[in-house]
Amino acid sequence: MSDTIVVNNEPFDLYISAVRIQDRVKELAAQIDRDYAGKVPIFIGVLNGSFIFIGDLVREVTVDCEIDFMKLSSYGDAKISSGQVKMVKELNCQVAGRDIIVVEDIVDTGLSVEYIRKHILAENPASLRFVSLLLKKDIAKTTAPIEYVGFEIPPEFVIGYGLDNAQKLRNLKAIYRQRPRA
Ligand code: 5GP
């Protein structure tokens, strides 16, 4: 895949290569293995964006674990958050008394994470932590830290490795960022 792709006449430049992503995923998994030794966490992937990341992450993790998914909606097909989060698919697992690790593709405003935090804490987990491949640090307003972050990035629109452009291009192996307009 070339270093620049053009989507609807807009150039996107290669930002984080597939190799860098895979290296970082292995590091995050090693950290999680250390922190959860002897426990059986439930990884909860937030659809759709985290589907590739959680797939790669759980295959690097060696602790016994379970996997479930939830789906929120806040963006629709827009690039800017609508500011309103709603649950589109509920969890299927029992959260009470369990160690929960929520897996996000990217934390932007932090609204989704805060919504999920409240929702899961209401069910009394033994513990709750978040892992996000990407964090837009200058924008994110979360009340508690994201415990595991792959890469901190500036407030730019990125696609690939699960992240979409109007539902397309999630299947890119690397992450690309929209080139700022001159
Ligand atoms: P937040 O609630 O933190 O504002 O938004 C989180 C969700 O917005 C992410 O899970 C992702 O689906 C979407 N999002 C935020 N920033 C980007 C971005 O730069 N690119 C893409 N494709 N989606 C994003």
Side-chain angles (χ1 to χ4, degrees), residues 72-86:
L72 303 180
S73 152
S74 72
Y75 273 50
D77 282 347
K79 288 184 182 168
I80 305 211
S81 169
S82 65
Q84 295 225 317
V85 180
K86 63 178 191 214

Side-chain angles (χ1 to χ4, degrees), residues 44-50 70-76 80-88 102-121 128 130 132 134 139-144 146:
I44 295 178
V46 185
L47 295 171
N48 292 337
S50 76
M70 67 197 297
K71 182 165 178 166
L72 303 180
S73 152
S74 72
Y75 273 50
I80 305 211
S81 169
S82 65
Q84 295 225 317
V85 180
K86 63 178 191 214
M87 180 83 66
V88 181
V102 175
V103 183
E104 273 278 18
D105 52 351
I106 186 165
V107 177
D108 182 13
T109 63
L111 277 174
S112 308
V113 161
E114 287 311 302
Y115 179 94
I116 294 165
R117 193 189 302 282
K118 275 202 202 97
H119 188 78
I120 292 183
L121 286 179
L128 172 62
F130 285 81
S132 184
L134 303 174
I139 305 186
K141 294 183 207 73
T142 54
T143 51
I146 308 297

